[in-house]
Amino acid sequence: MPHDIDASFLALDFGPLAESALAVAEQAGAEHADFRFERLRTQDVSARDGEVQGVAERTEVGYAVRVLLDGVWGFASDVVLTTERAAVTAQRALEVARVAAAMTSRRVRLAAEPVHADRTWVSAYDIDPFTVGLDEKTSLLTGWTERLVASDPVAHAVAHLAQVHENKFYADLAGTSTTQQRVRLLSQVEVFGSDTARGVADSMRTVAPPVGRGWEHMSAPDAMDRWDRELSALPGLLGDKLAAPSVEAGSYDLVVHPSNLWLTIHESIGHATELDRALGYEANYAGTSFATPDKLGSLRYGSDLMHVTGDRTQQHGLATIGYDDDGVEGQSWDLVRDGVLVGYQLDRAMAHTYGAELNEGRSNGCAYADSPGHVPIQRMANVSLQPGTADLGVEDLIGDVERGLYVIGDRSWSIDMQRYNFQFTGQQFHLIRDGELVGQVRDAAYQATTTDFWGSMDAVGGPSTYELGGAFNCGKAQPGQVAAVSHGCPVARFRDVNVLNTSESE
């Protein structure tokens, strides 16, 4: 259902503030200046064992001025909504650029981009979660946890609901001006139990992903059916996990469900193909990247079946936008094609730095700031593994496995600072024997190098197995910023992957 930009955001009358700030930057001779006005509303609700544990609401309103003066960035932000203060904020940004000029030898240039004047864009959702009463949300979560904690072997049940409503206005000296609205939602339930006789304690979590959708993710008939199936299955899955034998370490074929594989894509492909990391300009939180630009077009990232895209336009994606925080329109492009590295994620500065070999010298729309108080940085697009043309299902992939594991749901991960050596666990590891599932095992983690793992992929599921997973809080930069991002993929099969027994590793 299409929506208009929220009238209460438009009533904040940010246009005169933008004109005031940009006029100051233009008069000072800035080669580029942009003004970004944001309202970010968040609400978090949690419940445990049938009782509300907490409700937190936050609204952040403010604006930022970014200038490029003689090839040096300057940035300032404020929360006082007057034209006089906006002009002062622009002056502060210019002064930052002048001071920084003496400390930097690398001048920034921006890739040329089309001007988009007076554009509006709203993400795809039906029901704004902020129009739904708090009582309905708390009743839903307490009801879920009360139901679960009454089931054996569940000792405790917790549920969490996070909602975001993001409004953003952008204007720059070139004449681009955009107004956008995005909604996103995360809901997760986890149950805990123990087997005192065996001295084992563990948990089991739902695998429904965070989404760029509204309250319909919780209330539409098909969504309610999915939640009911997930919740009904949790006690049994937890009980089987508590009773499961510890995995025998060794080589296994893996069939990996999208609810687990999205995180492997995020860590080993998503972060590795951010060009600022690949060039060594960014290393906080996730390090740099083994996939350096000298390997573009030649690095064998994985098997011929591997087709990975970056996408800022995918419907219901958490990183989907109309226009990024450089004023660049959202795009879709290839990162890995037929198993070979062919692209990177770029903002305007990175696109100019590397030149015409990537995206014909243009940005592909990856600039984002998580608040008006932060400067835009290059952030991850929705990075996804494309499904195969033959519509293979989970049973097709499992049926051709003699000794393997079927992995469902994400849990923990570890990856080195070049995105090359990694280890991932999961919510459920189901043993496969002669093409059949024969029960869960515990304490498993799969370990590989990025290129060996993706090179071992010998089958990908079809479009019917494709799902969007994702994260609400991918961290990057200092001061730290968070961004929400989705990763789509089908079920996929990997041959001869090393599986660790984590209890033995400890």
Side-chain angles (χ1 to χ4, degrees):
M1 178 186 298
H3 291 264
D4 294 327
I5 301 292
D6 194 312
S8 64
F9 177 71
L10 298 176
L12 292 170
D13 200 20
F14 36 77
L17 278 65
E19 292 174 4
S20 177
L22 293 177
V24 169
E26 185 173 36
Q27 190 173 21
E31 54 260 42
H32 170 90
D34 56 56
F35 174 92
R36 182 167 41 87
F37 187 97
E38 293 188 27
R39 184 183 68 180
L40 190 64
R41 302 172 63 193
T42 61
Q43 183 186 67
D44 293 278
V45 183
S46 60
R48 175 186 166 99
D49 298 345
E51 295 184 356
V52 175
Q53 286 294 291
V55 176
E57 295 189 11
R58 185 169 185 255
T59 299
E60 183 177 6
V61 177
Y63 56 91
V65 180
R66 188 176 60 157
V67 300
L68 191 59
L69 184 67
D70 297 329
V72 179
W73 283 122
F75 175 83
S77 64
D78 212 316
V79 297
V80 179
L81 309 185
T82 66
T83 55
E84 294 79 9
R85 193 62 167 257
V88 169
T89 304
Q91 291 286 4
R92 288 168 47 214
L94 289 163
E95 187 59 25
V96 169
R98 294 186 184 103
V99 171
M103 298 182 284
T104 181
S105 58
R106 187 176 69 87
R107 291 307 192 246
V108 175
R109 296 289 182 266
L110 301 181
E113 286 293 333
V115 171
H116 307 285
D118 299 323
R119 302 291 181 90
T120 60
W121 180 87
V122 179
S123 65
Y125 65 91
D126 292 336
I127 304 171
D128 182 348
F130 288 84
T131 65
V132 178
L134 184 58
D135 286 348
E136 182 174 342
K137 298 170 184 175
T138 56
S139 294
L140 182 68
L141 298 193
T142 55
W144 281 357
T145 55
E146 186 174 35
R147 161 188 168 183
L148 287 166
V149 80
S151 302
D152 186 54
V154 177
H156 298 287
V158 297
H160 178 225
L161 176 65
Q163 304 137 98
V164 180
H165 184 120
E166 178 184 295
N167 282 113
K168 187 174 295 196
F169 169 78
Y170 170 96
D172 64 30
L173 282 180
T176 288
S177 61
T178 63
T179 309
Q180 303 187 83
Q181 181 164 292
R182 298 199 297 168
V183 167
R184 51 187 179 269
L185 186 148
L186 177 154
S187 180
Q188 203 165 70
V189 182
E190 188 165 11
V191 291
F192 301 82
S194 61
D195 183 332
T196 53
R198 297 183 63 202
V200 173
D202 218 318
S203 69
M204 184 65 69
R205 200 171 63 214
T206 52
V207 298
V211 290
R213 308 185 69 142
W215 188 248
E216 67 275 9
H217 182 59
M218 311 296 293
S219 62
D222 59 337
M224 294 175 69
D225 286 345
R226 173 169 182 162
W227 283 113
D228 187 61
R229 288 196 304 274
E230 276 223 69
L231 297 176
S232 296
L234 277 182
L237 288 169
L238 175 63
D240 291 346
K241 191 176 186 179
L242 291 169
S246 198
V247 69
E248 179 183 343
S251 179
Y252 289 79
D253 294 341
L254 300 184
V255 176
V256 187
H257 188 267
S259 58
N260 181 274
L261 192 58
W262 77 265
L263 183 56
T264 310
I265 293 170
H266 178 86
E267 301 294 347
S268 69
I269 307 172
H271 280 307
T273 56
E274 295 173 301
L275 186 59
D276 57 350
R277 293 192 187 281
L279 290 172
Y281 296 156
E282 168 66 35
N284 288 302
Y285 290 116
T288 56
S289 173
F290 76 98
T292 48
D294 58 302
K295 299 170 184 166
L296 185 69
S298 63
L299 174 64
R300 173 53 64 177
Y301 218 108
S303 77
D304 290 342
L305 298 173
M306 189 182 185
H307 179 201
V308 179
T309 57
D311 196 342
R312 296 282 270 170
T313 68
Q314 187 169 15
Q315 191 175 52
H316 304 310
L318 294 167
T320 299
I321 45 91
Y323 304 88
D324 77 352
D325 288 353
D326 281 344
V328 177
E329 190 167 19
Q331 300 161 40
S332 175
W333 68 99
D334 285 346
L335 292 167
V336 178
R337 182 86 192 180
D338 300 328
V340 176
L341 175 70
V342 295
Y344 286 98
Q345 302 163 70
L346 311 164
D347 61 13
R348 289 184 68 180
M350 286 293 106
H352 187 279
T353 297
Y354 201 74
E357 285 184 56
L358 291 172
N359 201 33
E360 299 180 340
R362 287 190 55 201
S363 165
N364 43 38
C366 287
Y368 177 72
D370 68 353
S371 88
H374 283 155
V375 68
I377 57 175
Q378 186 185 298
R379 293 311 307 259
M380 201 182 298
N382 304 304
V383 173
S384 300
L385 174 69
Q386 298 305 305
T389 53
D391 200 10
L392 299 175
V394 173
E395 295 78 10
D396 299 311
L397 271 59
I398 289 176
D400 196 25
V401 172
E402 183 177 342
R403 178 177 185 264
L405 295 170
Y406 178 38
V407 190
I408 301 174
D410 66 271
R411 193 155 192 173
S412 65
W413 74 97
S414 176
I415 192 163
D416 71 15
M417 295 298 276
Q418 276 69 53
R419 307 274 122 193
Y420 196 61
N421 297 282
F422 64 64
Q423 176 178 316
F424 289 87
T425 64
Q427 290 294 315
Q428 307 163 36
F429 283 85
H430 298 267
L431 189 63
I432 306 170
R433 188 174 297 149
D434 298 326
E436 301 286 341
L437 298 179
V438 294
Q440 289 190 60
V441 292
R442 296 171 42 81
D443 310 320
Y446 59 93
Q447 179 190 51
T449 67
T450 293
T451 51
D452 283 350
F453 179 76
W454 290 107
S456 73
M457 185 173 68
D458 80 328
V460 291
S464 65
T465 71
Y466 183 91
E467 293 184 11
L468 271 179
F472 247 41
N473 297 309
C474 172
K476 187 175 181 180
Q478 281 191 352
Q481 296 194 34
V482 296
V485 59
S486 290
H487 301 289
C489 57
V491 64
R493 187 173 62 208
F494 303 83
R495 296 292 192 184
D496 297 324
V497 179
N498 188 41
V499 171
L500 304 175
N501 183 308
T502 56
S503 66
E504 293 176 355
S505 299
E506 292 171 358

